[in-house]
């Protein structure tokens, strides 16, 4: 295997520039999808893609797509990740995979390596949950998983996704029509930070992802009765807030019942939200995650029961909706074993991993063979400003990404060709 070393300094300076394209009024690094900052982030990524020599376009769903034409044409290897963040997020989630993929393009061109396959880089639109109850929006549009119900979903102000998309330059009809032709894509790879503590704990450099977690999002709306907090006896109240609080605790205890299972109630709202008023309404939005579909189905059933019980015993009405029902996704063995072999040959220590985070790769896996490469997260922190990965930990991930592309290109074509001199050590 020829050694081609990524230029870490390029990655660092691009990471630093992206970190300036954020909402400075929010904590951490905030570049939420459907914001002006997200548009700026995807524009910047497109500029880098063009500078790297890719032919770029933006599809109907806001995904930035860049192509490095291959020698044979007609077949593609796709790499991608996202540049949007959660509110108060970090600098590395998604961005590592985008900048890493662009670095792979530069390394191929600088080393005069022409793949047989077209190499397609995608910056997916809106990977993180938006205010309309969806995540991995761009990859879902590419794989045909969006419809008019998606467009009709509303945020808390009653605005629909169809109304919000044009502000990001996305036409709702084009959004519905953004399916990608995956019949020509032989493999998809996503480089990502681990976002958890396992690699660091084990002292390993590379995570080879075997399964991406299933994710089930719920929204529970409780309707009780607004009353005076001082004069209304406890036994005649219909306190929507208490029913919601009981449901939050049920999420926690259900999640504690499995292996690698998680439950989070990340959004809760009481109305009218006054210290001396019994809540008339309450909403809880949250999620379960886990590696087994059967556990997730059982968790859904148990939480729906718990919400009903918490509501019934207080004379509160509840409406429970499961807004996302993504099953766990096993990644494809030929790709994961190639990543593992490549890591071994490069001398990078590795571990097989379960991903507790969701990824566009999990959506794309329905359409083509997918692999994910993880690099360590400092202290396992992510979705927070402290999210951090050393450059020295990222560079091996880019090396594995590049060499996996070369290996996959060779496995299904006649192999990458060097136009002049071949791959060099740098
Ligand atoms: C995406 O970052 C998720 O796992 O929620
Ligand atoms: Mn994330
Ligand atoms: Mn991510």
């Amino acid at each position: 295997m020829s050694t081609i070393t990524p230029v870490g300094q390029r990655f660092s300076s691009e990471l630093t520039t992206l970190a300036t394209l954020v909402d400075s009024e929010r904590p951490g690094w905030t570049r939420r999808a459907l914001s002006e900052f997200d548009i700026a982030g995807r524009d910047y990524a497109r500029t880098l893609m063009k500078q790297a020599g890719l032919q770029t376009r933006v599809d109907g769903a806001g995904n930035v797509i860049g192509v490095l034409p291959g020698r044979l044409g007609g077949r593609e290897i796709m790499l991608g990740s996202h540049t949007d963040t959660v509110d108060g997020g970090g600098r590395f989630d998604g961005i590592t995979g985008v900048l890493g993929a662009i670095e792979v393009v530069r390394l191929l061109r600088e080393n005069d390596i022409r793949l047989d396959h077209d190499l397609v880089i995608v910056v997916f639109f809106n990977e993180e949950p938006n205010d309309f109850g969806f995540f991995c929006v761009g990859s879902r549009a590419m794989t045909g998983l969006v419809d008019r119900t998606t467009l009709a979903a509303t945020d808390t102000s009653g605005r629909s996704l169809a109304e919000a998309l044009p502000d990001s330059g996305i036409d709702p009809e084009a959004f519905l029509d953004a399916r990608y032709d995956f019949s020509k894509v032989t493999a998809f790879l996503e480089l990502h930070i681990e976002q958890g503590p396992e690699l660091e704990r084990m002292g390993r450099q590379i995570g080879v992802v075997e399964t991406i977690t299933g994710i089930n999002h719920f929204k529970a709306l409780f309707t009780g009765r607004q009353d005076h907090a001082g004069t209304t006896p406890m036994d005649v109240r219909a306190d929507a807030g208490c029913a919601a609080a009981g449901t939050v605790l049920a999420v926690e205890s259900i999640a504690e019942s499995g292996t690698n299972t998680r439950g989070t109630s990340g959004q809760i709202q009481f109305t009218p939200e006054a210290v001396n008023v019994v809540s008339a309404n309450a909403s809880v939005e949250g999620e379960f995650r886990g590696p087994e579909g059967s556990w997730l189905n059982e968790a859904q059933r148990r939480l729906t029961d718990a919400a009903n019980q918490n509501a019934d015993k207080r004379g509160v009405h509840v409406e429970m909706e499961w807004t996302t029902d993504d099953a766990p996704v096993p990644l494809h063995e030929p790709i994961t074993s190639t990543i593992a072999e490549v890591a071994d040959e490069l001398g990078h220590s590795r571990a097989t991993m379960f991903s507790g985070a969701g990824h566009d790769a999990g959506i794309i896996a329905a359409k083509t063979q997918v692999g994910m490469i993880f690099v360590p997260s400092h202290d396992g922190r992510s979705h927070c400003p402290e999210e951090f990965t050393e450059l020295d930990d990222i560079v091996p991930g880019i090396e594995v990404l590049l060499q996996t592309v070369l290996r996959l290109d060779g496995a299904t074509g006649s192999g990458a060709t060097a136009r002049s001199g071949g791959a060099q050590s740098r």
Side-chain angles (χ1 to χ4, degrees):
M1 182 182 291
S2 323
T3 309
I4 301 176
T5 307
V7 183
Q9 203 281 327
R10 290 195 286 227
F11 182 97
S12 286
S13 94
E14 290 159 5
L15 184 91
T16 304
T17 303
L18 254 179
T20 64
L21 304 174
V22 292
D23 183 349
S24 55
E25 294 185 355
R26 303 297 308 161
W29 284 271
T30 298
R31 188 169 43 248
R32 289 202 69 204
L34 294 157
S35 71
E36 62 189 279
F37 310 102
D38 177 53
I39 296 172
R42 282 180 295 119
D43 278 354
Y44 176 64
R46 186 176 185 185
T47 302
L48 293 179
M49 285 157 94
K50 283 184 191 160
Q51 286 168 354
L54 295 173
Q55 300 162 1
T56 67
R57 67 180 192 277
V58 179
D59 76 2
N63 299 300
V64 183
I65 300 177
V67 181
L68 181 69
R71 208 163 54 86
L72 302 181
R75 281 193 300 176
E76 300 175 355
I77 294 173
M78 186 182 274
L79 315 179
S81 200
H82 61 99
T83 51
D84 64 315
T85 71
V86 294
D87 188 28
R91 290 164 293 168
F92 297 84
D93 176 0
I95 293 135
T96 303
V98 168
L99 298 181
I102 295 171
E103 178 66 7
V104 163
V105 172
R106 284 189 291 246
L107 294 171
L108 290 171
R109 297 193 70 228
E110 288 164 0
N111 286 278
D112 281 326
I113 299 172
R114 184 116 193 242
L115 300 180
D116 282 351
H117 290 72
D118 292 350
L119 186 65
V120 178
I121 311 294
V122 185
V123 181
F124 292 104
F125 174 67
N126 193 174
E127 192 267 357
E128 301 288 2
N130 62 27
D131 293 338
F132 302 86
F134 299 110
F135 57 98
C136 293
V137 177
S139 50
R140 284 183 211 271
M142 283 177 84
T143 55
L145 291 177
V146 296
D147 56 23
R148 293 201 181 272
T149 321
T150 320
L151 288 177
T154 51
D155 64 10
T156 48
S157 75
R159 191 177 193 222
S160 69
L161 181 61
E163 287 167 321
L165 285 173
D167 288 349
S168 288
I170 299 170
D171 169 56
E173 292 304 318
F175 174 76
L176 294 180
D177 216 20
R179 274 171 189 260
Y180 194 86
D181 176 8
F182 279 96
S183 65
K184 50 192 180 175
V185 181
T186 55
F188 173 86
L189 301 171
E190 183 168 358
L191 169 68
H192 207 283
I193 55 166
E194 181 203 337
Q195 305 182 268
E198 302 303 330
L199 286 172
E200 204 173 63
R201 263 189 207 154
M202 291 184 283
R204 306 281 166 89
Q205 294 170 286
I206 298 290
V208 183
V209 178
E210 249 183 352
T211 307
I212 299 177
T213 186
I215 305 180
N216 293 180
H217 280 192
F218 69 88
K219 201 185 261 193
L221 299 175
F222 299 88
T223 312
R225 198 183 63 194
Q226 184 170 336
D227 275 310
H228 193 291
T231 57
T232 315
M234 297 309 284
D235 61 346
V236 300
R237 295 178 179 212
D239 188 334
C242 287
T247 304
V248 169
L249 294 179
V251 170
E252 183 186 40
S253 70
I254 293 167
E256 284 166 352
S257 70
T259 306
N260 271 333
T261 55
R262 324 269 188 238
T264 307
S265 301
Q267 268 175 290
I268 182 156
Q269 216 167 22
F270 288 5
T271 314
E273 211 177 30
V275 71
N276 60 347
V277 181
V278 177
S279 300
N281 299 97
S283 71
V284 184
E285 291 183 49
E287 50 159 62
F288 283 121
R289 299 190 184 206
E292 280 168 27
S294 55
W295 183 87
L296 286 166
N297 292 340
E298 177 65 10
Q300 279 201 17
R301 194 192 55 70
R302 286 176 63 190
L303 187 67
T304 304
D305 285 353
N308 281 320
Q309 279 165 22
N310 273 287
D312 286 351
K313 71 181 180 201
R314 298 180 175 88
V316 168
H317 174 74
V318 59
E319 273 175 46
M320 186 82 182
E321 191 190 350
W322 291 91
T323 52
T324 307
D325 201 2
D326 288 351
V329 181
L331 298 190
H332 297 87
E333 203 283 325
I335 311 289
T336 54
S337 57
T338 303
I339 294 170
E341 276 166 31
V342 163
D344 290 347
E345 286 178 34
L346 286 167
H348 298 323
S349 57
R350 65 168 166 97
T352 299
M353 313 232 16
F354 162 68
S355 173
H359 300 285
D360 293 303
I363 305 294
I364 303 297
K367 295 290 180 185
T368 188
Q369 302 201 94
V370 165
M372 282 198 82
I373 300 157
F374 275 180
V375 290
S377 287
H378 184 55
D379 278 344
R381 305 289 308 280
S382 185
H383 282 185
C384 58
E386 292 79 9
E387 180 180 276
F388 184 71
T389 299
E390 295 281 357
L391 186 59
D392 284 355
D393 288 334
I394 289 170
V395 166
I398 302 175
E399 278 176 347
V400 172
L401 183 65
L402 168 66
Q403 295 296 340
T404 304
V405 167
L406 291 172
R407 189 68 61 94
L408 293 173
D409 186 59
T412 54
S414 56
T417 46
R419 284 197 299 270
S420 62
Q424 302 143 13
S425 291
R426 291 169 52 90

